[in-house]
Amino acid sequence: MIRLENIFIKLNENKTLISNINIFIPSGSLISIEGKAGSGKTKLFKILGLKDKVDTGNLYILGKNVNKLSRTELSALHSEISLVFEDNDLIDNLSVEANIILPLIMTNKSKDEIEIAVNELVSWLNINQILEKNILHLSNYEKKMVQFARAIITRPRILLLDNFFNGLDREYEKKISYLLLALKKIGTTIISFRSINNSAILSYNESYKIENFNLVRQ
Amino acid sequence: MNYKFIKYLGIKCFPSNLLDYLGHCIFNFFFSLVIIINIPFLNNILFHEHKTSYILLVPKISNNFEEKKDLIFSGLSLNTNIISVREVEKKIILEKLKKKIELIDEDLVPEVFEVTLKKNKKLDLEKENKKVDEVLQGAQILDKKIDYHKYNSDNYFLLGFSVFLFLSILVVLQIDFVKKLKVFLEKSRNFGAKDRDLLYNISLGYLLFQFLGIFSAYFSFNFFESNFKKPSIFTVENYETIIIFIFLQNMICYLNLIFTLRYTLRRIF
């Protein structure tokens, strides 16, 4: 469950990108947020992903007001949220496998749990050929897949995608969509931030659009 | 332990490049060598600086020389201010004498002992010499004349300079190390890692290479010393100083790393 209360997304002190956001996103829903480049989409994505602080208003994630959380509580909440960035967000000096399993290692999962999770995911996403490769030697598509694998390996309660389907092959888009629907079924809230001209296979529970500095329901 | 476990441990504790760890290892190795060379001086600062030393000369001119020498020692043992009477090796005396005198009949060289007193205590030389001379004619206690001021100021300067250099390089190396890890720290935090776990894991990996650098310096110096000359640094009287400085070096490196890591983590939301 995510609730945004009187949130303003600002570029700087003088310029507001999105004003007075008041929305409620229930658990297990598939949401789309559309907006042109520079409309504040990525800034909102980062705020929901706890990468940026909220300037004004309140953000409630899984029933907790993020402004009032301690470092430890915040890190516990972080482990429930996964983000897939539009650009490469992988650690270059680690291998593909190390990048994928990093969230599990960091949350002290056992060796067996990690192994099972990797085997399941890798065959589904068809990335077993590149597991030992260096990040620098991957194509953009492969990087995207590795980021996606890293995001869902922990089975997060909230999954945020920033322009993820951009430039993705129709066949892979379908495959990923099935995976997203499976995650949705187990209660994951999925929010996909998209450009306006993006085509989508998925049918969303709610679609929002950033228009005239406001987030409006479509 | 199997391969997978080691691999996971590697990701957790050694997220940086091997070169960064090796750099830190080599840096600690060389600084340890600087400390090792200064051990006698450091030992002096820590344990002997305020202790007074005298030289006891015992000439080998009498037939019952050994008995009389024992009598002198028995007399000295009554003085509670005396901590130790240590024999100075003949080789060292000859080396010093050869610098001033050309031909030496070794039998004429007296036995030399270093008499160490408690802090700020002094011997009544006139009285003690009278007693010693009564036991063995020609035996004498002399005030140890060392230019402490010159010795200390030179060594203090060099030591101070090397410590300053060590701290400066350490800070630069560790800031660079943590800077390279910033992405890793950021990601780990985003995946729900606790600060405490991050600090523990990263410092564990770092400390391993630090120990490797420090201990390999001590072991290689000890090996060199025991194979090529008589030990002068790894002696029983220096052990305390060696342990203190190994501990200090490790603590300084560890605390500075923790401080730098904490500072960086505090800046990540």
Side-chain angles (χ1 to χ4, degrees), chain A residues 51 71 89 93 97 108, chain B residues 7 12 15 187 189-190:
Chain A
K51 292 278 284 179
R71 272 234 177 275
D89 184 46
N93 65 325
E97 191 186 2
N108 298 320
Chain B
K7 196 172 167 180
K12 218 174 183 176
K187 294 277 163 290
R189 177 65 91 54
N190 289 343

Side-chain angles (χ1 to χ4, degrees), chain A:
Chain A
M1 179 204 88
I2 302 169
R3 188 150 60 96
L4 293 94
E5 213 176 66
N6 306 323
I7 288 179
F8 285 75
I9 308 284
K10 288 178 176 176
L11 187 65
N12 50 45
E13 282 292 304
N14 307 318
K15 197 177 177 192
T16 303
L17 293 172
I18 313 169
S19 59
N20 205 18
I21 309 171
N22 283 292
I23 55 168
F24 174 76
I25 301 166
S27 296
S29 48
L30 185 57
I31 305 292
S32 129
I33 296 178
E34 289 181 4
K36 287 178 188 164
S39 60
K41 216 168 51 223
T42 304
K43 187 102 167 109
L44 179 60
F45 167 83
K46 284 183 178 172
I47 285 175
L48 290 176
L50 304 179
K51 292 278 284 179
D52 276 351
K53 281 184 181 171
V54 187
D55 299 323
T56 48
N58 291 311
L59 170 65
Y60 296 89
I61 293 179
L62 303 172
K64 289 165 187 161
N65 186 342
V66 295
N67 292 339
K68 291 176 182 167
L69 295 180
S70 68
R71 272 234 177 275
T72 326
E73 289 169 322
L74 208 61
S75 73
L77 195 58
H78 263 302
S79 62
E80 305 282 4
I81 307 167
S82 284
L83 293 93
V84 182
F85 284 83
E86 185 179 9
D87 304 317
N88 174 25
D89 184 46
L90 300 164
I91 302 172
D92 291 344
N93 65 325
L94 295 181
S95 70
V96 168
E97 191 186 2
N99 265 289
I100 293 173
I101 61 176
L102 191 63
L104 298 177
I105 289 178
M106 285 303 153
T107 43
N108 298 320
K109 292 282 182 295
S110 74
K111 180 176 73 74
D112 295 332
E113 277 178 282
I114 297 173
E115 238 170 296
I116 292 167
V118 171
N119 291 338
E120 255 178 36
L121 199 67
V122 157
S123 54
W124 178 258
L125 290 173
N126 207 15
I127 50 172
N128 29 1
Q129 306 295 322
I130 56 165
L131 274 190
E132 294 304 320
K133 268 192 178 178
N134 191 299
I135 296 297
L136 299 170
H137 301 137
L138 299 183
S139 68
N140 282 339
Y141 162 73
E142 286 170 331
K143 280 178 190 167
K144 224 168 204 181
M145 283 298 119
V146 175
Q147 274 199 81
F148 185 72
R150 186 184 65 182
I152 63 166
I153 199 164
T154 52
R155 299 195 177 171
R157 290 176 71 184
I158 296 165
L159 176 65
L160 307 173
L161 308 164
D162 188 19
N163 270 336
F164 181 69
F165 294 104
N166 257 9
L168 207 67
D169 188 288
R170 195 86 179 160
E171 192 193 329
Y172 282 107
E173 196 178 336
K174 250 185 190 172
K175 207 169 183 178
I176 298 288
S177 299
Y178 289 135
L179 211 56
L180 292 178
L181 289 172
L183 282 170
K184 184 183 169 248
K185 261 188 188 165
I186 58 165
T188 306
T189 307
I190 302 158
I191 307 175
S192 174
F193 293 78
R194 311 180 301 153
S195 301
I196 285 174
N197 54 3
N198 243 193
S199 68
I201 296 169
L202 286 167
S203 58
Y204 296 95
N205 297 104
E206 297 275 6
S207 285
Y208 292 92
K209 195 173 181 180
I210 303 167
E211 225 171 33
N212 301 323
F213 310 106
N214 282 307
L215 188 69
V216 289
R217 188 182 288 175
Q218 281 185 313

